[in-house]
PDB file of all heavy atoms in Angstrom:
ATOM      1  N   GLN A   1     178.114  94.692  61.784  1.00 97.00           N
ATOM      2  CA  GLN A   1     176.759  94.725  61.270  1.00 97.00           C
ATOM      3  C   GLN A   1     175.900  93.686  61.973  1.00 97.00           C
ATOM      4  O   GLN A   1     176.323  92.549  62.179  1.00 97.00           O
ATOM      5  CB  GLN A   1     176.748  94.466  59.761  1.00 97.00           C
ATOM      6  CG  GLN A   1     175.393  94.661  59.107  1.00 97.00           C
ATOM      7  CD  GLN A   1     175.489  94.636  57.597  1.00 97.00           C
ATOM      8  OE1 GLN A   1     176.403  94.042  57.025  1.00 97.00           O
ATOM      9  NE2 GLN A   1     174.545  95.287  56.937  1.00 97.00           N
ATOM     10  N   THR A   2     174.682  94.092  62.342  1.00 94.00           N
ATOM     11  CA  THR A   2     173.695  93.198  62.915  1.00 94.00           C
ATOM     12  C   THR A   2     172.480  93.183  62.002  1.00 94.00           C
ATOM     13  O   THR A   2     172.261  94.124  61.221  1.00 94.00           O
ATOM     14  CB  THR A   2     173.282  93.647  64.321  1.00 94.00           C
ATOM     15  OG1 THR A   2     172.771  94.985  64.267  1.00 94.00           O
ATOM     16  CG2 THR A   2     174.467  93.618  65.270  1.00 94.00           C
ATOM     17  N   PRO A   3     171.660  92.131  62.066  1.00 87.00           N
ATOM     18  CA  PRO A   3     170.475  92.070  61.205  1.00 87.00           C
ATOM     19  C   PRO A   3     169.577  93.286  61.381  1.00 87.00           C
ATOM     20  O   PRO A   3     169.294  93.710  62.501  1.00 87.00           O
ATOM     21  CB  PRO A   3     169.775  90.788  61.664  1.00 87.00           C
ATOM     22  CG  PRO A   3     170.882  89.939  62.194  1.00 87.00           C
ATOM     23  CD  PRO A   3     171.819  90.910  62.861  1.00 87.00           C
ATOM     24  N   GLY A   4     169.148  93.860  60.269  1.00 86.00           N
ATOM     25  CA  GLY A   4     168.266  95.007  60.300  1.00 86.00           C
ATOM     26  C   GLY A   4     168.950  96.342  60.465  1.00 86.00           C
ATOM     27  O   GLY A   4     168.272  97.372  60.490  1.00 86.00           O
ATOM     28  N   LYS A   5     170.260  96.352  60.594  1.00 90.00           N
ATOM     29  CA  LYS A   5     171.008  97.585  60.740  1.00 90.00           C
ATOM     30  C   LYS A   5     172.088  97.655  59.675  1.00 90.00           C
ATOM     31  O   LYS A   5     172.621  96.639  59.243  1.00 90.00           O
ATOM     32  CB  LYS A   5     171.653  97.680  62.125  1.00 90.00           C
ATOM     33  CG  LYS A   5     170.676  97.692  63.282  1.00 90.00           C
ATOM     34  CD  LYS A   5     171.395  97.677  64.621  1.00 90.00           C
ATOM     35  CE  LYS A   5     172.208  98.932  64.843  1.00 90.00           C
ATOM     36  NZ  LYS A   5     172.855  98.944  66.185  1.00 90.00           N
ATOM     37  N   GLN A   6     172.416  98.876  59.260  1.00 91.00           N
ATOM     38  CA  GLN A   6     173.475  99.032  58.282  1.00 91.00           C
ATOM     39  C   GLN A   6     174.832  98.898  58.951  1.00 91.00           C
ATOM     40  O   GLN A   6     174.973  99.090  60.161  1.00 91.00           O
ATOM     41  CB  GLN A   6     173.356 100.365  57.546  1.00 91.00           C
ATOM     42  CG  GLN A   6     173.554 101.599  58.395  1.00 91.00           C
ATOM     43  CD  GLN A   6     173.399 102.878  57.588  1.00 91.00           C
ATOM     44  OE1 GLN A   6     172.931 102.852  56.450  1.00 91.00           O
ATOM     45  NE2 GLN A   6     173.777 103.997  58.163  1.00 91.00           N
ATOM     46  N   ARG A   7     175.816  98.561  58.166  1.00 94.00           N
ATOM     47  CA  ARG A   7     177.159  98.385  58.677  1.00 94.00           C
ATOM     48  C   ARG A   7     177.688  99.700  59.246  1.00 94.00           C
ATOM     49  O   ARG A   7     177.562 100.760  58.632  1.00 94.00           O
ATOM     50  CB  ARG A   7     178.063  97.871  57.557  1.00 94.00           C
ATOM     51  CG  ARG A   7     179.402  97.350  58.012  1.00 94.00           C
ATOM     52  CD  ARG A   7     180.135  96.657  56.856  1.00 94.00           C
ATOM     53  NE  ARG A   7     179.413  95.493  56.372  1.00 94.00           N
ATOM     54  CZ  ARG A   7     179.875  94.692  55.411  1.00 94.00           C
ATOM     55  NH1 ARG A   7     181.046  94.928  54.848  1.00 94.00           N
ATOM     56  NH2 ARG A   7     179.144  93.656  55.027  1.00 94.00           N
ATOM     57  N   GLU A   8     178.291  99.637  60.427  1.00 96.00           N
ATOM     58  CA  GLU A   8     178.809 100.827  61.074  1.00 96.00           C
ATOM     59  C   GLU A   8     180.298 100.693  61.342  1.00 96.00           C
ATOM     60  O   GLU A   8     180.806  99.601  61.622  1.00 96.00           O
ATOM     61  CB  GLU A   8     178.068 101.104  62.390  1.00 96.00           C
ATOM     62  CG  GLU A   8     178.284 100.054  63.462  1.00 96.00           C
ATOM     63  CD  GLU A   8     177.713 100.449  64.814  1.00 96.00           C
ATOM     64  OE1 GLU A   8     177.441 101.655  65.022  1.00 96.00           O
ATOM     65  OE2 GLU A   8     177.535  99.554  65.675  1.00 96.00           O
ATOM     66  N   LEU A   9     180.978 101.819  61.278  1.00 97.00           N
ATOM     67  CA  LEU A   9     182.400 101.847  61.570  1.00 97.00           C
ATOM     68  C   LEU A   9     182.620 101.705  63.066  1.00 97.00           C
ATOM     69  O   LEU A   9     182.018 102.424  63.863  1.00 97.00           O
ATOM     70  CB  LEU A   9     183.025 103.149  61.068  1.00 97.00           C
ATOM     71  CG  LEU A   9     184.522 103.339  61.335  1.00 97.00           C
ATOM     72  CD1 LEU A   9     185.336 102.322  60.540  1.00 97.00           C
ATOM     73  CD2 LEU A   9     184.953 104.755  60.979  1.00 97.00           C
ATOM     74  N   VAL A  10     183.506 100.799  63.442  1.00 98.00           N
ATOM     75  CA  VAL A  10     183.856 100.582  64.837  1.00 98.00           C
ATOM     76  C   VAL A  10     185.140 101.312  65.190  1.00 98.00           C
ATOM     77  O   VAL A  10     185.207 102.046  66.178  1.00 98.00           O
ATOM     78  CB  VAL A  10     183.995  99.079  65.154  1.00 98.00           C
ATOM     79  CG1 VAL A  10     184.410  98.870  66.613  1.00 98.00           C
ATOM     80  CG2 VAL A  10     182.693  98.345  64.858  1.00 98.00           C
ATOM     81  N   ALA A  11     186.178 101.100  64.397  1.00 98.00           N
ATOM     82  CA  ALA A  11     187.471 101.712  64.654  1.00 98.00           C
ATOM     83  C   ALA A  11     188.283 101.714  63.375  1.00 98.00           C
ATOM     84  O   ALA A  11     188.125 100.832  62.527  1.00 98.00           O
ATOM     85  CB  ALA A  11     188.229 100.973  65.762  1.00 98.00           C
ATOM     86  N   VAL A  12     189.156 102.695  63.234  1.00 97.00           N
ATOM     87  CA  VAL A  12     190.019 102.795  62.070  1.00 97.00           C
ATOM     88  C   VAL A  12     191.388 103.281  62.504  1.00 97.00           C
ATOM     89  O   VAL A  12     191.509 104.082  63.438  1.00 97.00           O
ATOM     90  CB  VAL A  12     189.416 103.732  60.997  1.00 97.00           C
ATOM     91  CG1 VAL A  12     189.238 105.144  61.549  1.00 97.00           C
ATOM     92  CG2 VAL A  12     190.279 103.757  59.741  1.00 97.00           C
ATOM     93  N   ALA A  13     192.411 102.785  61.840  1.00 95.00           N
ATOM     94  CA  ALA A  13     193.786 103.216  62.064  1.00 95.00           C
ATOM     95  C   ALA A  13     194.404 103.571  60.720  1.00 95.00           C
ATOM     96  O   ALA A  13     194.406 102.750  59.796  1.00 95.00           O
ATOM     97  CB  ALA A  13     194.598 102.123  62.751  1.00 95.00           C
ATOM     98  N   THR A  14     194.920 104.778  60.598  1.00 92.00           N
ATOM     99  CA  THR A  14     195.537 105.214  59.354  1.00 92.00           C
ATOM    100  C   THR A  14     197.006 104.829  59.327  1.00 92.00           C
ATOM    101  O   THR A  14     197.606 104.483  60.348  1.00 92.00           O
ATOM    102  CB  THR A  14     195.403 106.732  59.168  1.00 92.00           C
ATOM    103  OG1 THR A  14     196.274 107.401  60.095  1.00 92.00           O
ATOM    104  CG2 THR A  14     193.975 107.194  59.413  1.00 92.00           C
ATOM    105  N   SER A  15     197.594 104.908  58.139  1.00 86.00           N
ATOM    106  CA  SER A  15     199.013 104.612  58.003  1.00 86.00           C
ATOM    107  C   SER A  15     199.869 105.616  58.752  1.00 86.00           C
ATOM    108  O   SER A  15     201.013 105.312  59.100  1.00 86.00           O
ATOM    109  CB  SER A  15     199.412 104.582  56.526  1.00 86.00           C
ATOM    110  OG  SER A  15     199.159 105.838  55.901  1.00 86.00           O
ATOM    111  N   GLY A  16     199.334 106.810  59.004  1.00 87.00           N
ATOM    112  CA  GLY A  16     200.057 107.827  59.730  1.00 87.00           C
ATOM    113  C   GLY A  16     199.927 107.743  61.233  1.00 87.00           C
ATOM    114  O   GLY A  16     200.517 108.565  61.949  1.00 87.00           O
ATOM    115  N   GLY A  17     199.145 106.789  61.730  1.00 88.00           N
ATOM    116  CA  GLY A  17     199.039 106.585  63.162  1.00 88.00           C
ATOM    117  C   GLY A  17     197.806 107.164  63.818  1.00 88.00           C
ATOM    118  O   GLY A  17     197.640 107.019  65.037  1.00 88.00           O
ATOM    119  N   SER A  18     196.939 107.816  63.068  1.00 94.00           N
ATOM    120  CA  SER A  18     195.710 108.352  63.645  1.00 94.00           C
ATOM    121  C   SER A  18     194.700 107.236  63.868  1.00 94.00           C
ATOM    122  O   SER A  18     194.668 106.257  63.123  1.00 94.00           O
ATOM    123  CB  SER A  18     195.107 109.418  62.734  1.00 94.00           C
ATOM    124  OG  SER A  18     195.990 110.508  62.563  1.00 94.00           O
ATOM    125  N   THR A  19     193.870 107.395  64.876  1.00 97.00           N
ATOM    126  CA  THR A  19     192.825 106.418  65.172  1.00 97.00           C
ATOM    127  C   THR A  19     191.501 107.118  65.416  1.00 97.00           C
ATOM    128  O   THR A  19     191.458 108.289  65.814  1.00 97.00           O
ATOM    129  CB  THR A  19     193.174 105.562  66.401  1.00 97.00           C
ATOM    130  OG1 THR A  19     193.351 106.413  67.542  1.00 97.00           O
ATOM    131  CG2 THR A  19     194.446 104.770  66.165  1.00 97.00           C
ATOM    132  N   HIS A  20     190.424 106.389  65.177  1.00 97.00           N
ATOM    133  CA  HIS A  20     189.076 106.887  65.409  1.00 97.00           C
ATOM    134  C   HIS A  20     188.226 105.735  65.908  1.00 97.00           C
ATOM    135  O   HIS A  20     188.348 104.611  65.419  1.00 97.00           O
ATOM    136  CB  HIS A  20     188.469 107.470  64.131  1.00 97.00           C
ATOM    137  CG  HIS A  20     187.025 107.819  64.262  1.00 97.00           C
ATOM    138  ND1 HIS A  20     186.602 108.968  64.894  1.00 97.00           N
ATOM    139  CD2 HIS A  20     185.901 107.163  63.866  1.00 97.00           C
ATOM    140  CE1 HIS A  20     185.283 109.004  64.883  1.00 97.00           C
ATOM    141  NE2 HIS A  20     184.837 107.918  64.260  1.00 97.00           N
ATOM    142  N   TYR A  21     187.344 106.032  66.865  1.00 98.00           N
ATOM    143  CA  TYR A  21     186.463 105.023  67.432  1.00 98.00           C
ATOM    144  C   TYR A  21     185.026 105.502  67.427  1.00 98.00           C
ATOM    145  O   TYR A  21     184.749 106.694  67.615  1.00 98.00           O
ATOM    146  CB  TYR A  21     186.847 104.695  68.877  1.00 98.00           C
ATOM    147  CG  TYR A  21     188.229 104.124  69.053  1.00 98.00           C
ATOM    148  CD1 TYR A  21     189.315 104.949  69.283  1.00 98.00           C
ATOM    149  CD2 TYR A  21     188.430 102.751  69.004  1.00 98.00           C
ATOM    150  CE1 TYR A  21     190.588 104.420  69.453  1.00 98.00           C
ATOM    151  CE2 TYR A  21     189.693 102.210  69.175  1.00 98.00           C
ATOM    152  CZ  TYR A  21     190.767 103.055  69.402  1.00 98.00           C
ATOM    153  OH  TYR A  21     192.028 102.522  69.576  1.00 98.00           O
ATOM    154  N   ALA A  22     184.108 104.570  67.243  1.00 98.00           N
ATOM    155  CA  ALA A  22     182.706 104.877  67.456  1.00 98.00           C
ATOM    156  C   ALA A  22     182.488 105.215  68.926  1.00 98.00           C
ATOM    157  O   ALA A  22     183.140 104.651  69.814  1.00 98.00           O
ATOM    158  CB  ALA A  22     181.834 103.691  67.056  1.00 98.00           C
ATOM    159  N   ASP A  23     181.567 106.135  69.188  1.00 97.00           N
ATOM    160  CA  ASP A  23     181.311 106.544  70.564  1.00 97.00           C
ATOM    161  C   ASP A  23     180.926 105.363  71.452  1.00 97.00           C
ATOM    162  O   ASP A  23     181.264 105.332  72.640  1.00 97.00           O
ATOM    163  CB  ASP A  23     180.211 107.599  70.611  1.00 97.00           C
ATOM    164  CG  ASP A  23     180.655 108.944  70.081  1.00 97.00           C
ATOM    165  OD1 ASP A  23     181.880 109.190  70.014  1.00 97.00           O
ATOM    166  OD2 ASP A  23     179.784 109.767  69.736  1.00 97.00           O
ATOM    167  N   SER A  24     180.244 104.394  70.892  1.00 97.00           N
ATOM    168  CA  SER A  24     179.754 103.275  71.669  1.00 97.00           C
ATOM    169  C   SER A  24     180.856 102.350  72.182  1.00 97.00           C
ATOM    170  O   SER A  24     180.609 101.556  73.094  1.00 97.00           O
ATOM    171  CB  SER A  24     178.753 102.457  70.845  1.00 97.00           C
ATOM    172  OG  SER A  24     179.358 101.964  69.665  1.00 97.00           O
TER     173      SER A  24
END
């Protein structure tokens, strides 16, 4: 999160091994 912007997801890892990343 940066000032003036809402919190955004950067990356996530599930217990099953899946991952997801923000395009940026």
Side-chain angles (χ1 to χ4, degrees):
Q1 188 170 25
T2 58
K5 298 176 65 177
Q6 65 181 12
R7 193 171 297 183
E8 66 171 343
L9 179 67
V10 178
V12 61
T14 72
S15 60
S18 299
T19 59
H20 172 78
Y21 298 91
D23 288 341
S24 59

